[in-house]
Amino acid sequence: MKRILVTGGSGFIGSHLCERLLNEGNEVICLDNYFTGSKRNIIELLGNPYFELVRHDITEPYYAEVDEIYNLACPASPVHYQYNPIKTIKTSVMGAINMLGLAKRVKAPILQASTSEVYGDPAVHPQPESYWGNVNPIGPRSCYDEGKRCAETLFMGYHTQNGVAIKIARIFNTYGPNMNVNDGRVVSNFIVQALQGKDLTIFGDGSQTRSFQYVDDLVDGLLVLMQTDASVTGPVNLGNPTEFTMLELAREIIDLTGSSSELVFHPLPQDDPQQRRPDIGLAQELLNGWKPQVELQQGLQHTITYFENLLSA
């Protein structure tokens, strides 16, 4: 049995990761300050004697004896990370320093949940890990984009200078149950609007693309990445390479929900990427052939059912 620390453990992805780690026979410490996470996401885990919930902000040091660390703490949707940009970048940078310090002290491997946002509005498509990105360092999204880029730098620094065992996962658009109703990301926005009979809000003309990964596939990738040989540090892209336009996604969700919603168009936000699709060749090479298994329609149906139950509660 390993004792595993998950920061941001009551968040969307973190809650799924905590559940999987417990199911695999581990002891889990879930650390969260509930800025975007929710106790509702981990309520069913609270009765497990091997699950420990700690209210803590990782911009402050935390001390525990652990065998592995997954650093997921940070608001990940534009609505939330732009609400308090200083707090966002402090979480990415100071949080990374604190968790890396802990990993160094207890000699534990640590995985950083980085993001496809490090690529910015990419000039290379699809995006391989070798691409350095096209990021506006002073734009409205920079608190998140540059915070995550700096966190990657810190991870590599602690690895090369102090020998800390690190893993960096660049996570592309992920969706599924436990997303916040007010998450602000496109999948949850469209589903909630469709279920409530509201018009679906399209930013731009809807031709911009994203690749959508179901959360179970992501958790599979994170677990395999953590168990790779120490020489594998990443970054490694984890995402679904199947690409959809916003219009295609909106129409699929309207069909699946049986909604009579219409599409309404608004101006594209500043620095919003036009294209986003991962090159997952490295992940397939290093992670025992890992690739997403859940098709968009199947994953959307699970997510729609979750929101139906949540909104009717």
Side-chain angles (χ1 to χ4, degrees), residues 71 91-97 100 112-114 145-158 166 168:
N71 186 38
T91 300
S92 289
V93 176
M94 296 172 65
I97 291 170
L100 285 162
Q112 166 67 3
S114 191
D145 302 359
E146 296 289 28
K148 289 290 192 177
R149 286 163 69 96
C150 185
E152 288 194 12
T153 304
L154 284 163
F155 267 68
M156 290 307 299
Y158 269 77
I166 67 163
I168 300 173

Side-chain angles (χ1 to χ4, degrees), residues 114-136 141 144-146 148-149 152 168-172 234-239 271 273-280 282:
S114 191
T115 173
S116 61
E117 298 296 336
V118 301
Y119 299 121
D121 189 4
V124 173
H125 192 74
Q127 294 80 56
E129 292 85 351
S130 58
Y131 177 52
W132 290 357
N134 176 36
V135 175
N136 177 0
R141 303 171 70 98
Y144 184 68
D145 302 359
E146 296 289 28
K148 289 290 192 177
R149 286 163 69 96
E152 288 194 12
I168 300 173
R170 288 182 178 163
I171 300 171
F172 281 68
V236 177
N237 288 339
L238 295 179
D271 300 332
Q274 289 295 317
Q275 300 179 103
R276 188 60 61 73
R277 176 162 69 94
D279 180 332
I280 62 168
L282 185 62

Side-chain angles (χ1 to χ4, degrees), residues 163-227:
V164 175
I166 67 163
K167 310 290 181 183
I168 300 173
R170 288 182 178 163
I171 300 171
F172 281 68
N173 291 63
T174 304
Y175 70 98
N178 294 0
M179 294 184 85
N180 194 311
V181 170
N182 302 311
D183 184 82
R185 283 178 279 196
V186 64
V187 172
S188 53
N189 276 359
F190 283 175
I191 290 175
V192 171
Q193 288 171 339
L195 291 175
Q196 294 179 336
K198 298 177 180 178
D199 292 335
L200 272 61
T201 305
I202 304 279
F203 293 99
D205 62 6
S207 63
Q208 67 271 34
T209 66
R210 295 292 185 273
S211 304
F212 300 103
Q213 168 180 233
Y214 190 64
V215 65
D216 287 356
D217 287 330
L218 171 62
V219 171
D220 289 341
L222 293 175
L223 293 175
V224 177
L225 177 58
M226 179 62 97
Q227 302 310 318

Side-chain angles (χ1 to χ4, degrees), residues 280-299:
I280 62 168
L282 185 62
Q284 291 181 293
E285 176 187 342
L286 298 176
L287 308 184
N288 301 324
W290 173 89
K291 63 179 180 179
Q293 302 296 321
V294 181
E295 297 291 339
L296 181 67
Q297 187 178 77
Q298 179 188 359

Side-chain angles (χ1 to χ4, degrees), residues 35-102:
F35 180 65
T36 56
S38 171
K39 287 183 180 178
R40 180 181 61 244
N41 290 339
I42 44 87
I43 193 73
E44 294 182 2
L45 307 181
L46 294 177
N48 189 316
Y50 297 110
F51 181 74
E52 182 178 350
L53 178 61
V54 180
R55 186 175 190 130
H56 185 83
D57 189 321
I58 65 164
T59 60
E60 301 292 335
Y62 177 75
Y63 304 100
E65 300 301 319
V66 296
D67 300 303
E68 291 178 355
I69 303 169
Y70 289 83
N71 186 38
L72 275 62
C74 189
S77 76
V79 169
H80 293 130
Y81 67 64
Q82 291 177 27
Y83 172 76
N84 189 337
I86 294 173
K87 180 69 172 178
T88 296
I89 197 165
K90 285 174 69 176
T91 300
S92 289
V93 176
M94 296 172 65
I97 291 170
N98 287 329
M99 290 302 109
L100 285 162
L102 175 61

Side-chain angles (χ1 to χ4, degrees), residues 194-195 251-261 301 304 308:
L195 291 175
R251 288 166 180 155
E252 182 71 26
I253 288 173
I254 288 174
D255 287 344
L256 289 174
T257 57
S259 175
S260 58
S261 299
Q301 192 59 69
I304 288 166
E308 283 176 335

